[in-house]
C-alpha cells in the first residue's frame, strides 16, 4: 500500500515501487502527483458541435506569458519530449513528457494553458481551416448563419467551463514528493476556480423512438456487422462486483459451447465481442458486436435468436461463484504482475481513474473485482432481457431499468437501394423499423438447436509465479544454439523480474513468398491455423498467455508471450497443429471470404496510407502488388492450399528468440522439441535450407542527385483528400549517420508541423518521420490535404526545407548541445524521464498530431528510457535479429556517437543528404490524387517539373534499379 501524507491508503501492485501522494490546492485543483478537465463534447453549446475539440487545439498556440506562437510545442520537442491532447465526451486531456532538466519550465508553459491562454483571431481562423475533418460546417458555416462569432464563443466556452475544481493533474517525476508538491503548488495555484459543476446527463439518453428498433445501415467498406445494444445501469456503481465484466466474459467467450463457437461452427461469424461501452456515471450500454460472413448475413434472425438463447442459458444456470472466483484470480494476477508502461501512458490511466474512483482505488480502478454479489450480476443480466419491454406507442418516459433492448444495428453493403434516411454528418444511408419482443421470441424458437453451454474451468491459469534464478547477468541476447535447422537467441530476464516469457519462432520458407499466389496461400494458411486453435487457445489468452501466427514476407512467425508457467504446453500444441495441418474446406471458404474483403477494402484506406504502401512497394524487393493478389483470390480453392502447404514447409530454417523467466536449459529444450517435430521426428515435414536458400532483405538503392516521382489516382473516387509522401533516402545502417539523421528529425519535426499544418494549413495530417527499411535509413514527410494536390504540396515541402536551412545555421552551440544531451542523458537512465500526462484513450478518435510520441520513431523515443517491459525489450532485439543487423548494443553505441557529434557535422549532414539540390540527395515522392485534384494528376504526370524521373510502373522501376546489400542471410552471420 502507498500511503500519502495523512491520506487514505492507495492500493497498488505488489511489484510497484513508486511513491504516490494526493494533494489538493487552495483553488481546489486535485493532484495525484497531467491535466484532465472534466469538460468534453457533451458540454458543447447546441449548434457549435466540435467546439470542445477546437478549444483543445487552440490552447497549444500561445499564452500571455509565452506569446510566441507554437513555442510550447517547440520547447517540448527540442528538449527531448512530445505532446498531445484529445477530447472525449465528458473530459478533455492534455499531456506531455520531457527531459528532466527541462521539466520545470515545461511545466510552467503547460500550466499557462489553464491560466491565461491567447486565442488570437488570426490563429482561430487558421485552426478552423486546419482542423476541418467534418467540423468546418459546425465551426464556421453554421455559426455565421446564426450571427455568431466562433472566436467569441470559444473564449466564452473556456471561461465558463475551465475551472480548477473540474481539473485533475498527474505529475510523474524522479524528484521526491515534497519537491513535486511545491512545484505543483507554485505553477498551478493561479488557475481560476469558478466552482463550476461538471456536465451531467440525468437518466438514460434514449427516447421512446430509439428503443426496440432495427437499424439497417450501409457502411463504406465491404463486410457485414451486427451490433446489439441495451441501456444498463453503469457498472461504475458496482465496480467491485464487476457485473459487466462477468457477463462480458461469458457472452464474449470463444471456447467450446460459447455463442461465438456455435456461430463460427455454423460458418456465420468471424468475430464477437461483448461488454460495457460508452458509459458515464448516469448511463451506460452493454454491447454485443458480431462480424458476419456472407452466410451469417442471411441468418441475422437466427443469430439474434442464438444470442438470446445464450442469455437465457445464463439465467437458467444461475450466477456461478466458481466463474467469478476464476475471473477474480485472473484479474488479481494481471494487476500485481502488470507490465510497466511509459510514464505518459501510466499517468493517463491514473488521471482517468481520478475522475471516477475514490483515492484509494486511483491505481486499481475497476481492475480488481473482489466482491461476489449474485444479486448485482443478476440485476444487470435482467437488463439484457426481452421479457420486460414496454411498447406503448407515444411513450415519453421509458422505464430503461426494466431491460429494454435498445436496438439492433445491422451494417451491410447489400442494403444499398433499400434505405430511406441519410445521417447528416457523414452521409450514411440507413433505415429504421420497429421490432417487438414477440419477434425476438420467434427468432429464438426458429434458431438452430445447438449445444450452448458454459465454459470449462480454465487450466491455463498460472499457479507457479516464482522467478527463475539467473546466474549470469546477461545484458544482450546470446546465440545459445545453432544447427542446420535453427538458431536460438536467448535473453534471460535481468531487469523486469516478472513470471513472464517471450518466445518467437520465425519460419523462413523460400516457397512462401516467391509469387503472389504463394503469398496469399501462406496468409490463408496462418489464418486457418489461428482459426483451428481458437477455442483451445482462448483459455490461455484469458489467463494472460497470448499467441499469434502471422504471415511474413518470407514465411510465417509464431509468437507466444505471457506467464511462463503453462507457456510450453501452448507452444507444443501450436507446433503440433502446424506439423499436422489439414485443410478444412468449410473453414477455408470462410477465411478466403474474409481475406478477399480485406483486399477489396484496401481502396478505402486513407490516401496517406495508400501513399505509404506505394512507397514500400517501390523500395522493397520481392513484394507483390495488392491488386495482383486480389485477382488471384477468386481462383483459389481448398485443394490449392492442401497441395501448397507441404511444398512450403519442405525447406525451412527456424530463427528463434526466447527471453524472460526461462532458464537456458529450458530454452534449448523447447527449440530441440520444435526441431524434432519438424525435422527429425517419426514424420518430419521439413528439411534444412541449402546455403543458397537463406533469405535476404533487399532494398532499392536510389540514384544520387535524382528526384523520383510516382503519381497515382486515389483508389476511392469519393475521397476528397490527396496525399504526399516525400521520402529522402540517406544511408545504410551506420551509428554516426544514424544519430545525425535522428538529430535532424528531432530538430525539424516541430517546425515542419507548425509551418506545413498550422501556418500553411496544408492538411490535418502533416508530419516528419524517420524511415527504416531493413537497415536502410531515411526520412519522410507525410501530408494529407484537401487544399492542395500532391505536386503543389511537394513544392511546399521543399520550400520548408529551404526555410529550415537558415534555422539550422542559426542554431546556437548551446541549443545544439541541449539537443544532443537530451538524446544522451535520457538514454542512460530511465529515472531521468519526467512525464505530465492524463486521460483515457480518445473515444472519438481525434488526436492533435499523427506525429506524436506513439507514432514517431525519433531520437528521443528510442533513447528516452530503458525498456519498460519484456515485450518491448524483446521487440527491440527481435528487430535486430530479423533485419540481420544484430547490433544489440545499438543504443549505447549511438549514445557514444552522439557524444562525438558537433554542430558543424550536423550541418554538413544536412547539406550533403537533405538540402534541396545537393548532388548526394536522393528523393522519392509519391502522390495520391483525391477527387478534387484529378486534373492535376494528368498535368503532373505529363509535365513532371521539377522531378528527374517519373515512375510509370512500380515493378518495372524496381527491377531496373540497383539494390542495397542485405544484412540478413549473410554467410556466417551469428556465429557461436
Amino acid at each position: 500500500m502507498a500511503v500519502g501524507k495523512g491520506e487514505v491508503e492507495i492500493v497498488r501492485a505488489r511489484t510497484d515501487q513508486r511513491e504516490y501522494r494526493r494533494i489538493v490546492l487552495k483553488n481546489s485543483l486535485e493532484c495525484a502527483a497531467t491535466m484532465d478537465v472534466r469538460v468534453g463534447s457533451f458540454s458543447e453549446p447546441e449548434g457549435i458541435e466540435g467546439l470542445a475539440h477546437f478549444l483543445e487545439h487552440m490552447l497549444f498556440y500561445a499564452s500571455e506569458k509565452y506569446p510566441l506562437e507554437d513555442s510550447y510545442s517547440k520547447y517540448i520537442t527540442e528538449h527531448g519530449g512530445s505532446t498531445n491532447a484529445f477530447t472525449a465526451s465528458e473530459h478533455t486531456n492534455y499531456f506531455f513528457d520531457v527531459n528532466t532538466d527541462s521539466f520545470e519550465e515545461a511545466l510552467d508553459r503547460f500550466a499557462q494553458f489553464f491560466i491565461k491562454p491567447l486565442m488570437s483571431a488570426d490563429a482561430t481562423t487558421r485552426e478552423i481551416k486546419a482542423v476541418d475533418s467534418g467540423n468546418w460546417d459546425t465551426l464556421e458555416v453554421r455559426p455565421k448563419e446564426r450571427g455568431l462569432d466562433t472566436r467569441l464563443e470559444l473564449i466564452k466556452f473556456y471561461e465558463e467551463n475551465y475551472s480548477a475544481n473540474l481539473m485533475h493533474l498527474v505529475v510523474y517525476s524522479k524528484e521526491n514528493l515534497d519537491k513535486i508538491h511545491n512545484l505543483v503548488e507554485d505553477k498551478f495555484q493561479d488557475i481560476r476556480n469558478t466552482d463550476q459543476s461538471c456536465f451531467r446527463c440525468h437518466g438514460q439518453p434514449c427516447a421512446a423512438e430509439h428503443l426496440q428498433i432495427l437499424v439497417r445501415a450501409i457502411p463504406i467498406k465491404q463486410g457485414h456487422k451486427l451490433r446489439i445494444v441495451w441501456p444498463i445501469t453503469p457498472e461504475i456503481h458496482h465496480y467491485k462486483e464487476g457485473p459487466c465484466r462477468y457477463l462480458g466474459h461469458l457472452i464474449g467467450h470463444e471456447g467450446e459451447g460459447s455463442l461465438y463457437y456455435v456461430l463460427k461452427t455454423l460458418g456465420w461469424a468471424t468475430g464477437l465481442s461483448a461488454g460495457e461501452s460508452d458509459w458515464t456515471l448516469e448511463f451506460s450500454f452493454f454491447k454485443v458486436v458480431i462480424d458476419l460472413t456472407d452466410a451469417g448475413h442471411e441468418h441475422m434472425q437466427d443469430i439474434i435468436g442464438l444470442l438470446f438463447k445464450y442469455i437465457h442459458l445464463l439465467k437458467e444456470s444461475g450466477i456461478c461463484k466458481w466463474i467469478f472466483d476464476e475471473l477474480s484470480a485472473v484479474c488479481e494476477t494481471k494487476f500485481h504482475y502488470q507490465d510497466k508502461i511509459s510514464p505518459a501512458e501510466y499517468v493517463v490511466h491514473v488521471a482517468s481513474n481520478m475522475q471516477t474512483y475514490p483515492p484509494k482505488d486511483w491505481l486499481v480502478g475497476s481492475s480488481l473485482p473482489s466482491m461476489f454479489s449474485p444479486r448485482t450480476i443478476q440485476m444487470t443480466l435482467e437488463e439484457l432481457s426481452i421479457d420486460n419491454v414496454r411498447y406503448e406507442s407515444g411513450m415519453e418516459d421509458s422505464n430503461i431499468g426494466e431491460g429494454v433492448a435498445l436496438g439492433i444495428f445491422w451494417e451491410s453493403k447489400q442494403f444499398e437501394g433499400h434505405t430511406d434516411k441519410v445521417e447528416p454528418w457523414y452521409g450514411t444511408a440507413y433505415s429504421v423499423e420497429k421490432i417487438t419482443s414477440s419477434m425476438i421470441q420467434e427468432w429464438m424458437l426458429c434458431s438452430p438447436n445447438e449445444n450452448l453451454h458454459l465454459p470449462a474451468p480454465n487450466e491455463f491459469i498460472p499457479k507457479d509465479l516464482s522467478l527463475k534464478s539467473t546466474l549470469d547477468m546477461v545484458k544482450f541476447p546470446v546465440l545459445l544454439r545453432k544447427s542446420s535447422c535453427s538458431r536460438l537467441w536467448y535473453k534471460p530476464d535481468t531487469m523486469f523480474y516478472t513470471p513472464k516469457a517471450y518466445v518467437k519462432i520465425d519460419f523462413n520458407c523460400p516457397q512462401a513468398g516467391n509469387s503472389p499466389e504463394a503469398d496469399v496461400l501462406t496468409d490463408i494458411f496462418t489464418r486457418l491455423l489461428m482459426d483451428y486453435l481458437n477455442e483451445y487457445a482462448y483459455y490461455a489468452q484469458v489467463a494472460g498467455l497470448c499467441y499469434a501466427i502471422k504471415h511474413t514476407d518470407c514465411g510465417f512467425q509464431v509468437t507466444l508471450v505471457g506467464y511462463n508457467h503453462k507457456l510450453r504446453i501452448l507452444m507444443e500444441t501450436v507446433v503440433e497443429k502446424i506439423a499436422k495441418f489439414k485443410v478444412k474446406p468449410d473453414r477455408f471458404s470462410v477465411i478466403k471470404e474474409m481475406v478477399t474483403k480485406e483486399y477489396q477494402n484496401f481502396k478505402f484506406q486513407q490516401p496517406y496510407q495508400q501513399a505509404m504502401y506505394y512507397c514500400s512497394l517501390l523500395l522493397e524487393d520481392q513484394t507483390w502488388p495488392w491488386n495482383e493478389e486480389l485477382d488471384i483470390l477468386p481462383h483459389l480453392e481448398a485443394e490449392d492450399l492442401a497441395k501448397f502447404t507441404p511444398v512450403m514447409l519442405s525447406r525451412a530454417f527456424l530463427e528463434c528468440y526466447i527471453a524472460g523467466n526461462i532458464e537456458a536449459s529450458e530454452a534449448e529444450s523447447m527449440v530441440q522439441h520444435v526441431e524434432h517435430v519438424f525435422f527429425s521426428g517419426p514424420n518430419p515435414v521439413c528439411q534444412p535450407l541449402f546455403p543458397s536458400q537463406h533469405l535476404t532483405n533487399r532494398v532499392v538503392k536510389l540514384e544520387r542527385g535524382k528526384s523520383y516521382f510516382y503519381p497515382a489516382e486515389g483508389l476511392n473516387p469519393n475521397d476528397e483528400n490527396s496525399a504526399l509522401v516525400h521520402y529522402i533516402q540517406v544511408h545504410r545502417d551506420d551509428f554516426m549517420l544514424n544519430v545525425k539523421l535522428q538529430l535532424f528529425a528531432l530538430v525539424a519535426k516541430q517546425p515542419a508541423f507548425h509551418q506545413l499544418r498550422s501556418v500553411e494549413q496544408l492538411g490535418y495530417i502533416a508530419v516528419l518521420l524517420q524511415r527504416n527499411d531493413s537497415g536502410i535509413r531515411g526520412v519522410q514527410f507525410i501530408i494529407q490535404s484537401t487544399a492542395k494536390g500532391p505536386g503543389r504540396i511537394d513544392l511546399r515541402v521543399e520550400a520548408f526545407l529551404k526555410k529550415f536551412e537558415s534555422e539550422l545555421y542559426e542554431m546556437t552551440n548551446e541549443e545544439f548541445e541541449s539537443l544532443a544531451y537530451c538524446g544522451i542523458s535520457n538514454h542512460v537512465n530511465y529515472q531521468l524521464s519526467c512525464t505530465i500526462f492524463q486521460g483515457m484513450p480518445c473515444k472519438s478518435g481525434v488526436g492533435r498530431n499523427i506525429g506524436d510520441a506513439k507514432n514517431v520513431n525519433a531520437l528521443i523515443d528510442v533513447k528516452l528510457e530503458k525498456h519498460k517491459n519484456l515485450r518491448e525489450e524483446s521487440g527491440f532485439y527481435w528487430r535486430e535479429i530479423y533485419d540481420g543487423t544484430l547490433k544489440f548494443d545499438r543504443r549505447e553505441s549511438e549514445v557514444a556517437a552522439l557524444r562525438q557529434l558537433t554542430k558543424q557535422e550536423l550541418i554538413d549532414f544536412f547539406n550533403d543528404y537533405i538540402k534541396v539540390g545537393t548532388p548526394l540527395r536522393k528523393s522519392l515522392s509519391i502522390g495520391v490524387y483525391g477527387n478534387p485534384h484529378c486534373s492535376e494528376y494528368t498535368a503532373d504526370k505529363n509535365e513532371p517539373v521539377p522531378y528527374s524521373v517519373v515512375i510509370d510502373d512500380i515493378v518495372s522501376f524496381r527491377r531496373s534499379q540497383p539494390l542495397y546489400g542485405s544484412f540478413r542471410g549473410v554467410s556466417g552471420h551469428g556465429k557461436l
Side-chain angles (χ1 to χ4, degrees), residues 648-713:
M648 177 190 67
L649 292 173
S650 63
R651 295 277 178 183
F653 182 81
L654 312 184
E655 191 83 69
C656 307
Y657 175 84
I658 298 180
N661 194 38
I662 287 184
E663 295 175 351
S665 58
E666 293 179 272
E668 282 196 84
S669 173
M670 290 169 71
V671 173
Q672 286 171 343
H673 172 80
V674 176
E675 269 198 19
H676 176 76
V677 169
F678 286 101
F679 293 93
S680 60
N683 299 297
V685 294
C686 301
Q687 288 182 290
L689 295 183
F690 292 112
S692 61
Q693 286 184 296
H694 284 269
L695 298 163
T696 58
N697 295 331
R698 306 294 299 274
V699 176
V700 167
K701 187 175 186 178
L702 300 177
E703 187 176 342
R704 291 177 176 178
K706 292 285 183 71
S707 58
Y708 300 85
F709 178 57
Y710 177 70
E713 292 181 287

Side-chain angles (χ1 to χ4, degrees), residues 944-962:
V945 180
Y947 305 104
S948 307
V949 179
V950 175
I951 301 168
D952 293 318
D953 181 76
I954 289 177
V955 176
S956 298
F957 166 78
R958 201 171 62 191
R959 287 176 175 171
S960 68
Q961 300 302 305

Side-chain angles (χ1 to χ4, degrees), residues 869-886:
N869 54 62
L870 179 64
R871 188 190 294 259
E872 182 183 289
E873 179 191 73
S874 298
F876 176 84
Y877 291 134
W878 177 252
R879 178 70 185 267
E880 296 290 336
I881 295 167
Y882 190 77
D883 283 350
T885 46
L886 301 182

Side-chain angles (χ1 to χ4, degrees), residues 529-591:
L529 283 168
M530 294 283 288
D531 184 78
Y532 297 168
L533 286 160
N534 189 66
E535 50 266 20
Y536 170 80
Y538 183 78
Y539 284 93
Q541 179 186 327
V542 169
L545 177 56
C546 300
Y547 87 107
I549 307 172
K550 292 193 175 179
H551 167 225
T552 67
D553 291 338
C554 49
F556 61 97
Q557 290 178 356
V558 176
T559 307
L560 301 99
V561 59
Y563 302 113
N564 57 274
H565 183 207
K566 307 288 181 73
L567 185 145
R568 177 154 184 170
I569 297 172
L570 179 60
M571 186 206 75
E572 291 183 358
T573 303
V574 171
V575 165
E576 181 182 10
K577 187 67 72 173
I578 296 170
K580 297 181 178 180
F581 178 80
K582 300 293 181 186
V583 181
K584 300 176 183 178
D586 60 331
R587 299 311 300 163
F588 175 88
S589 298
V590 170
I591 299 301

Side-chain angles (χ1 to χ4, degrees), residues 489-514:
W489 299 92
Y490 170 67
K491 171 65 172 68
D493 179 10
T494 57
M495 184 181 298
F496 312 111
Y497 304 106
T498 58
K500 298 180 180 181
Y502 183 101
V503 174
K504 177 86 77 174
I505 306 172
D506 186 52
F507 286 73
N508 289 265
C509 306
Q511 298 292 334
N514 61 4

